[in-house]
Amino acid sequence: NVPDDFFVEAGGGITASPDGGKVAFSYRKFDTPTTGETKGLSEREMGDIYVLDIAECLAIKDGCPPERFVRLTNDSGDDYAPAWSPQGNRIVFTRQPLGPYSYGGPWLYEMAVDGSHQQLVLSEVQQFPLRPNFASWSPDGKKLAMVGSDKMRSTAIFVLDLSDFRLQQITHLPSNDESGDELELLRPRW
């Protein structure tokens, strides 16, 4: 029961909590509700991360209306690709910043499951020329695996140790012209 002018990202945009009770997802509202088309990020509302309770929504006869979606992020950038920590208490996500101080992007952020305590984990500025994207947690919650690409669109898988923020490249993939949607297919899984 999602209005025509809203879009829930598939693939890397939807992820279940470890206990299976909630889902986190990236949710967008298009400015052109009659066609559902976009011609660029500036012509639509940027995506934000939302959570919903599965049992609560299953109890609603006609499905879960957007009013039941709990918005966790509200940033001028584009937030997408959420991933739950194994303990279910944190969510890591990708933020494509916008504006004069965005310095390219994307960046990795993490937050509490209620949207509080949002903090930068890794940015292109910190690890130039890496553009971190589509992270997933290790089973013990101590590392993040992610897709990284540089400005030449060379892509690789990296692992970030969260105890010392040491970043290690573990694959070398050929250069490509893939879009973000195709990069998501490379999202590492533990």
Side-chain angles (χ1 to χ4, degrees):
N1 186 20
V2 177
D4 292 338
D5 59 340
F6 281 83
F7 173 70
V8 176
E9 283 191 321
I14 302 172
T15 181
S17 63
D19 67 4
K22 296 182 179 184
V23 291
F25 54 96
S26 179
Y27 188 57
R28 307 166 188 274
K29 182 178 181 189
F30 288 100
D31 287 343
T32 55
T34 55
T35 64
E37 295 177 11
T38 62
K39 296 183 179 100
L41 294 177
S42 62
E43 295 186 18
R44 62 181 162 141
E45 181 179 317
M46 296 292 95
D48 284 308
I49 306 298
Y50 288 77
V51 169
L52 62 82
D53 184 287
I54 294 172
E56 183 180 293
C57 288
L58 289 174
I60 300 171
K61 181 181 177 186
D62 295 325
C64 198
E67 302 83 53
R68 302 295 268 226
F69 298 1
V70 177
R71 187 179 201 166
L72 301 184
T73 64
N74 189 6
D75 182 77
S76 63
D78 188 18
D79 298 338
Y80 59 95
W84 294 83
S85 67
Q87 299 79 17
N89 62 343
R90 307 285 301 162
I91 295 174
V92 67
F93 62 97
T94 303
R95 173 172 286 160
Q96 176 64 55
L98 297 175
Y101 303 105
S102 65
Y103 302 109
W107 298 356
L108 288 183
Y109 273 77
E110 74 169 313
M111 64 183 161
V113 296
D114 64 0
S116 65
H117 307 292
Q118 292 184 22
Q119 58 187 14
L120 180 66
V121 175
L122 187 67
S123 74
E124 178 185 16
V125 175
Q126 294 167 312
Q127 296 292 335
F128 184 80
L130 174 71
R131 302 172 75 132
N133 220 327
F134 301 108
S136 65
W137 296 86
S138 64
D140 63 6
K142 295 180 179 180
K143 296 179 182 178
L144 292 171
M146 70 196 74
V147 173
S149 64
D150 61 25
K151 293 187 189 291
M152 302 304 292
R153 306 295 285 170
S154 294
T155 305
I157 306 272
F158 292 82
V159 172
L160 177 68
D161 186 319
L162 295 172
S163 66
D164 60 8
F165 290 91
R166 187 174 53 92
L167 188 68
Q168 181 178 1
Q169 184 173 346
I170 60 171
T171 66
H172 297 274
L173 302 173
S175 295
N176 59 60
D177 291 324
E178 295 174 342
S179 70
D181 292 339
E182 291 163 331
L183 282 176
E184 189 278 323
L185 297 175
L186 299 172
R187 183 180 197 159
R189 306 279 191 239
W190 290 89

